[in-house]
C-alpha cells in the first residue's frame, strides 16, 4: 500500500528505550496546567479522558493526526493517501453475478482545506508559546496546550475562568470543534458523565491517573447557547438517542445503461436478516468521506463516524444494502460502519469519543436486529472473507491491529472474560492491549518498523518458539511462502475476541487450529494473551478426510428452480477443514442469495435454500462450511 504518513510523524515520539517519567508525573502535569490556565482540574481531566483515556501513545498520531493526552491535531503534517475504497483492484460490492464496482479515484484534500478540528495543535502553540514538536512529543506540554484551548474557549464565550466545573459546559462543547449544536453538546454531556462517575487507570506509559467522582455535579447547559453552531438535519436517521446523528443520504441513481449506484434497495429484515456489523476505517478525512458517499459512481456504507467528537452521519437506510465489505453475502446481511481515519494504514489509534459513540450505535443495532455481540458477528473489515479464491488477496485489512477490540467490547458491555477452566477446548484471544507491542513493519515504508504501539493481535507460529516461522496462508500466498510481520499481512494473526479450538498446550505456548494447521502463540500464565472459553466446535464428519471451506453461504442449485435467477456458483476456497481439526462455531444459517443486479427493483429477489451452513472462525477471517459435512460438539 502507498505510504500514508511522512516519516517524521511516526519517528517524532520518544524511543522505546527512553527513560520513562515517574508514575505520578502526568497527574501532576494535569494539576499544574489546570492551575496555570485556571481550568478546573476535573474538566481538564474529563476532556482528556474522552480524547485519549489519558494515553500518550508514545508520540504516535491518532487516525486524524491527533497527539498526546489532549489529542491536539496536526493533520497538516500528514501526507494523505487514497481513501479506503479507491483501490481499483477491489470490488466493494463483492457480487460476481455482475460487473465489478470499483470505488474509483478520489481527490485528496489540500492542506489548506483542512478544517480547524484537524489543526488544534497550531492554535495551542500560539496560545502557549510552545514549539509544535514539544506539543507532539511531551505529554506535559500537550496537557498545557489543551488547558490553554479550554481557557481560550471559555473567554470566547464571554465566561469567567470559574473554579466551578459546572460553568465550563460551553467551553467543553467548543473544545470538541464540532460544527453542529447536537454533536458539541453530546460531547460535553459525555465529558460531564466521566466527571460524575470518576475514572482511574494506568496509562500506556505506566502513568497512574485518577479523576475523583463528582456525582452531584450538574453542568450549566445554558452556557452552550453562545456557540452559534448549525442545527444538523437528523431527517430519517436511525440512531440511538444517546448519540448526535444526522442524515446525509447516499444516492440511488442510474447513470448509464445497466449501471447505477451506489447501493441496492432492499426490504430488510423482512426479506433477509441483518446478522453482521462490519467495522471499517475510511482512510480519508471526514469531508472527503462525505463527498465520496454522496457520489453515485462511488460505493456506500450505512454510517460514518467522526474521530474528533464521535459525530455520526447515516447514508443508507438499514433496510437497504450498502456496498462496503467486498463480499456480497456479507453486504446483504450486514451494516457497515466507517470510522474516520487517514494517516497510516492501518491507523495508529482511535479517540475515546469515537469508540464510545460507535459502541452505542452497535448496541442499538444489535438489540434492534438480534445480532449476537461477539467477534463472529461484530466483524472488522479484515475479518470478512473473500468470496472466491481470486478475491482473497484483494480483501481489506482495516481497522487493523491497533483497533482496541477489548476496550470496544467493554463499552458494549460484553468484556472478554474466562468462561471455562484451564483445560478447556477453546480460547478467546485477549492480550493486554497497552503492554502487548508486537513489531509490525510497513506503516510508512515497506519493511521499516512501525512506531511501538499497543495491539490487540497475536502472532501465530509453526512451532512453540518465537523464532519459528509464521504460519502460512495459501490464499494470500499460493506459492507457499511464510507470512510476514507486515502491518497489513493477516496471514498469521489472531485478534482480540476471536475464539479458536485448542490443538495443544506446551509450557507457555498454546496451539490453535487455524487455516487447516496448528498455529502456536505465546501464552504465559504470568501474562496470558488468551483466556479459556467454552462453546460449540465443529469438525468433519466421521470418515471425511477433508471438508470444503467457503467465503459465502449460497443456496444449493435446486433452490433456484422455478425462478429466473441464475444459479450462483458455490466455489470453495483453497483451504480445507481436515479430519481431527476443530473450529469454533459462530452461527448456523440457510444458504441465501440476494439477487439485485439491476436498478429496477421489480426483479430483485432473495433465494433461500434448504441446505444449512455454519459460519466459523477459520483464520483471521471467518468462513462457511456446509452443515451436512460436519458434526458439532461441545468444547
Amino acid at each position: 500500500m502507498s505510504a500514508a504518513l511522512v516519516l517524521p510523524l511516526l519517528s517524532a515520539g520518544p524511543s522505546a528505550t527512553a527513560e520513562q517519567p515517574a508514575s505520578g508525573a502526568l497527574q501532576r502535569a494535569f494539576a499544574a496546567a489546570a492551575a496555570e490556565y485556571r481550568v478546573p482540574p476535573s474538566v481538564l481531566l474529563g476532556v482528556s479522558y474522552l480524547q485519549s483515556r489519558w494515553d500518550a501513545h508514545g508520540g504516535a498520531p491518532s487516525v486524524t493526526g491527533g497527539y498526546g493526552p489532549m489529542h491536539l491535531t496536526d493533520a497538516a503534517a500528514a501526507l494523505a493517501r487514497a481513501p479506503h475504497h479507491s483501490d481499483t483492484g477491489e470490488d466493494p460490492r463483492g457480487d460476481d453475478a455482475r460487473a465489478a464496482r470499483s470505488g474509483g479515484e478520489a481527490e485528496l484534500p489540500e492542506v489548506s482545506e483542512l478544517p480547524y478540528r484537524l489543526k488544534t495543535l497550531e492554535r495551542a502553540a500560539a496560545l502557549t508559546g510552545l514549539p509544535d514538536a514539544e506539543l507532539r512529543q511531551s505529554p506535559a506540554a500537550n496537557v498545557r496546550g489543551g488547558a490553554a484551548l479550554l481557557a481560550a474557549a471559555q473567554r470566547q464565550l464571554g465566561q469567567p475562568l470559574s473554579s466551578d466545573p459546572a460553568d465550563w459546559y460551553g467551553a467543553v462543547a467548543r473544545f470538541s470543534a464540532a460544527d453542529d449544536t447536537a454533536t458539541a453538546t453530546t460531547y460535553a454531556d459525555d465529558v460531564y458523565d466521566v466527571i460524575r462517575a470518576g475514572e482511574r487507570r494506568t496509562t500506556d506509559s505506566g502513568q497512574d491517573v485518577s479523576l475523583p467522582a463528582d456525582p452531584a455535579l450538574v453542568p450549566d447547559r445554558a452556557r452552550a447557547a453562545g456557540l452559534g453552531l448549525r442545527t444538523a438535519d437528523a431527517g430519517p436517521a436511525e440512531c440511538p438517542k444517546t448519540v448526535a446523528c444526522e442524515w446525509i443520504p447516499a444516492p440511488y441513481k442510474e447513470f448509464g445503461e445497466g449501471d447505477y449506484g451506489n447501493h441496492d434497495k432492499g426490504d430488510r429484515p423482512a426479506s433477509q436478516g441483518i446478522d453482521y456489523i462490519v467495522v471499517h476505517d475510511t482512510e480519508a478525512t471526514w469531508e472527503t468521506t462525505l463527498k465520496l458517499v454522496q457520489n453515485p459512481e462511488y460505493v456506500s456504507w450505512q454510517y460514518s463516524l467522526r474521530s474528533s467528537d464521535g459525530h455520526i452521519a447515516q447514508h443508507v437506510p438499514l433496510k437497504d444494502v450498502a456496498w462496503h465489505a467486498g463480499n456480497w453475502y456479507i453486504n446483504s446481511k450486514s451494516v457497515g460502519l466507517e470510522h474516520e481515519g487517514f494517516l497510516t494504514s492501518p491507523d495508529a489509534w482511535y479517540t475515546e469519543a469515537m469508540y464510545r459513540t460507535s459502541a452505542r450505535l452497535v448496541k442499538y443495532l444489535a438489540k434492534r436486529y438480534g445480532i449476537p455481540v461477539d467477534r463472529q458477528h461484530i466483524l472488522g473489515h479484515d475479518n470478512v472473507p473473500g468470496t472466491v479464491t481470486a478475491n482473497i488477496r484483494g480483501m481489506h485489512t482495516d481497522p487493523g491491529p491497533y483497533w482496541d477490540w477489548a476496550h470496544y467490547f467493554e463499552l458494549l458491555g460484553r468484556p472478554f472474560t474466562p468462561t471455562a477452566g484451564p483445560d478447556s477446548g477453546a480460547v478467546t484471544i485477549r492480550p493486554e492491549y497497552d503492554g502487548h507491542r508486537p513489531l509490525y513493519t510497513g506503516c510508512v515504508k515497506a519493511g521499516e518498523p512501525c512506531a511501538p504501539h499497543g495491539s490487540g493481535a497475536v502472532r501465530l507460529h509453526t512451532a512453540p518458539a518465537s523464532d519459528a516461522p509464521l504460519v502460512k496462508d495459501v490464499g494470500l500466498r499460493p506459492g507457499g511462502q511464510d507470512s510476514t510481520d507486515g502491518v497489513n499481512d493477516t496471514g498469521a494473526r489472531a485478534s482480540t475476541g476471536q475464539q479458536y479450538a485448542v490443538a495443544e498446550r506446551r509450557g507457555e505456548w498454546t496451539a490453535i487450529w487455524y487455516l487447516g494447521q496448528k498455529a502456536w502463540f505465546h501464552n504465559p500464565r504470568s501474562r496470558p494473551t488468551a483466556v479459556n472459553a467454552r462453546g460449540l466446535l465443529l469438525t468433519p464428519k466421521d470418515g471425511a478426510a477433508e471438508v470444503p471451506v467457503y467465503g459465502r453461504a449460497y443456496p444449493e442449485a435446486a433452490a433456484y428452480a422455478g425462478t429466473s435467477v441464475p444459479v450462483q456458483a458455490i466455489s470453495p476456497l483453497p483451504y480445507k477443514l481436515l479430519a481431527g481439526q476443530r473450529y469454533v462455531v459462530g452461527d448456523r444459517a440457510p444458504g441465501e442469495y440476494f439477487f439485485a443486479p439491476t436498478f429496477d427493483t421489480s426483479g430483485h429477489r432473495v433465494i433461500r435454500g434448504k441446505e444449512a451452513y455454519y459460519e466459523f472462525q477459520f483464520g483471521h477471517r471467518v468462513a462457511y462450511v456446509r452443515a451436512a459435512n460436519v458434526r458439532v460438539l461441545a468444547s
Side-chain angles (χ1 to χ4, degrees):
M1 289 192 174
S2 57
L5 186 64
V6 288
L7 185 59
L9 282 178
L10 284 181
S11 61
S15 70
T17 57
E19 184 177 349
Q20 297 297 313
S23 62
L26 186 57
Q27 184 86 55
R28 292 191 294 274
F30 276 110
E36 179 181 0
Y37 289 98
R38 297 171 60 190
V39 178
S42 62
V43 170
L44 186 59
L45 284 159
V47 167
S48 178
Y49 188 89
L50 201 63
Q51 291 297 311
S52 67
R53 291 202 298 154
W54 305 322
D55 286 337
H57 296 277
S62 76
V63 295
T64 45
Y67 289 84
M70 300 302 299
H71 193 245
L72 302 181
T73 53
D74 188 18
L79 180 63
R81 75 173 183 90
H84 178 54
H85 287 300
S86 290
D87 181 358
T88 54
E90 182 214 22
D91 175 16
R93 185 162 56 189
D95 181 13
D96 52 13
R98 49 187 163 172
R101 158 62 64 205
S102 169
E105 297 301 319
E107 293 183 3
L108 301 176
E110 298 291 336
V111 169
S112 60
E113 297 174 352
L114 293 174
Y116 167 72
R117 62 185 177 79
L118 297 179
K119 299 185 290 187
T120 59
L121 189 140
E122 177 184 326
R123 172 67 171 153
L127 291 169
T128 62
L130 296 172
D132 290 5
E134 188 173 354
L135 289 167
R136 285 197 295 265
Q137 297 170 19
S138 166
N142 190 273
V143 169
R144 282 185 65 196
L149 288 174
L150 279 165
Q154 184 78 339
R155 292 191 187 95
Q156 288 167 2
L157 291 170
Q159 304 294 332
L161 300 181
S162 168
S163 61
D164 184 354
D167 297 336
W168 286 74
Y169 184 89
V172 171
R174 173 155 286 179
F175 186 93
S176 72
D179 62 352
D180 72 278
T181 302
T183 302
T185 55
T186 299
Y187 177 92
D189 289 340
D190 276 351
V191 169
Y192 279 89
D193 283 344
V194 170
I195 297 171
R196 277 190 292 269
E199 290 289 350
R200 177 187 298 272
R201 72 184 296 263
T202 300
T203 72
D204 59 353
S205 60
Q207 292 291 306
D208 296 323
V209 182
S210 63
L211 168 59
D214 188 359
L217 177 61
V218 178
D220 184 0
R221 299 184 89 252
R223 305 270 175 161
L227 292 173
L229 304 177
R230 69 184 178 93
T231 300
D233 180 11
E238 301 158 286
C239 291
K241 295 180 180 179
T242 53
V243 302
C245 194
E246 69 177 314
W247 176 247
I248 301 178
Y252 187 67
K253 182 179 179 181
E254 191 170 25
F255 50 82
E257 185 174 350
D259 204 358
Y260 68 98
N262 57 15
H263 59 280
D264 278 300
K265 295 292 184 182
D267 188 25
R268 306 186 306 176
S271 59
Q272 56 189 150
I274 297 178
D275 299 331
Y276 305 101
I277 297 169
V278 182
V279 172
H280 306 255
D281 74 30
T282 63
E283 297 299 338
T285 64
W286 179 257
E287 290 73 21
T288 298
T289 298
L290 297 186
K291 289 179 182 178
L292 293 174
V293 80
Q294 294 177 87
N295 178 357
E297 298 188 44
Y298 202 66
V299 294
S300 60
W301 46 93
Q302 272 80 11
Y303 297 93
S304 297
L305 293 96
R306 193 160 60 201
S307 173
S308 58
D309 51 27
H311 178 66
I312 298 174
Q314 184 179 357
H315 313 297
V316 177
L318 293 171
K319 68 181 182 64
D320 295 339
V321 176
W323 303 343
H324 60 94
N327 182 316
W328 181 244
Y329 178 79
I330 297 286
N331 277 347
S332 65
K333 299 174 70 65
S334 72
V335 176
L337 277 59
E338 290 276 5
H339 297 76
E340 182 190 18
F342 68 99
L343 287 189
T344 62
S345 179
D347 303 301
W349 59 280
Y350 300 79
T351 65
E352 179 69 2
M354 186 161 65
Y355 273 128
R356 288 191 171 212
T357 55
S358 181
R360 289 173 189 158
L361 179 58
V362 168
K363 287 173 70 174
Y364 163 81
L365 295 170
K367 182 178 180 180
R368 178 169 174 173
Y369 295 110
I371 302 171
V373 183
D374 60 39
R375 286 286 280 113
Q376 287 179 317
H377 294 86
I378 313 299
L379 304 173
H381 195 175
D382 53 354
N383 307 134
V384 175
T387 53
V388 295
T389 299
N391 299 140
I392 293 174
R393 299 182 71 180
M395 297 304 290
H396 278 214
T397 60
D398 59 295
Y402 301 130
W403 179 269
D404 192 345
W405 286 107
H407 180 54
Y408 196 52
F409 270 72
E410 287 171 355
L411 294 172
L412 288 170
R414 297 291 180 87
F416 302 122
T417 57
T419 56
D423 298 322
S424 65
V427 291
T428 302
I429 302 300
R430 177 61 170 90
E432 186 60 41
Y433 182 90
D434 290 335
H436 179 67
R437 299 189 172 200
L439 171 69
Y440 294 108
T441 60
C443 286
V444 177
K445 186 176 181 180
E448 291 189 356
C450 301
H453 199 280
S455 173
V458 300
R459 290 250 167 71
L460 302 173
H461 298 264
T462 55
S466 57
D467 58 354
L470 298 176
V471 296
K472 304 176 189 296
D473 184 333
V474 297
L476 288 175
R477 295 179 175 83
Q481 301 95 329
D482 293 336
S483 299
T484 72
D485 57 13
V487 73
N488 291 299
D489 188 343
T490 61
R493 183 181 297 171
S495 182
T496 292
Q498 292 180 325
Q499 293 186 323
Y500 298 91
V502 174
E504 188 178 347
R505 298 179 193 266
R506 194 183 303 176
E508 293 189 341
W509 289 78
T510 299
I512 56 176
W513 292 116
Y514 184 95
L515 295 178
Q517 60 202 303
K518 274 188 181 180
W520 292 87
F521 65 95
H522 194 219
N523 188 27
R525 187 182 298 270
S526 60
R527 194 166 188 172
T529 50
V531 296
N532 295 308
R534 67 173 60 192
L536 297 178
L537 308 179
L538 57 80
T539 191
K541 280 193 169 180
D542 294 341
E546 60 184 39
V547 169
V549 173
Y550 304 94
R552 54 193 178 188
Y554 276 0
E556 67 278 9
Y560 299 85
T563 76
S564 60
V565 178
V567 174
Q568 299 301 302
I570 305 175
S571 304
L573 300 177
Y575 312 109
K576 302 292 184 183
L577 198 166
L578 302 177
Q581 297 184 0
R582 300 179 178 187
Y583 295 88
V584 174
V585 174
D587 211 345
R588 179 186 169 106
E592 198 168 82
Y593 172 61
F594 178 37
F595 181 67
T598 60
F599 182 73
D600 179 4
T601 62
S602 62
H604 291 190
R605 183 165 183 176
V606 176
I607 303 297
R608 189 170 291 108
K610 294 182 179 179
E611 187 168 32
Y613 287 81
Y614 284 110
E615 179 223 13
F616 68 108
Q617 189 67 59
F618 188 55
H620 186 72
R621 302 180 189 271
V622 298
Y624 300 91
V625 66
R626 285 178 166 136
N629 291 340
V630 299
R631 61 188 178 93
V632 175
L633 56 156
S635 61

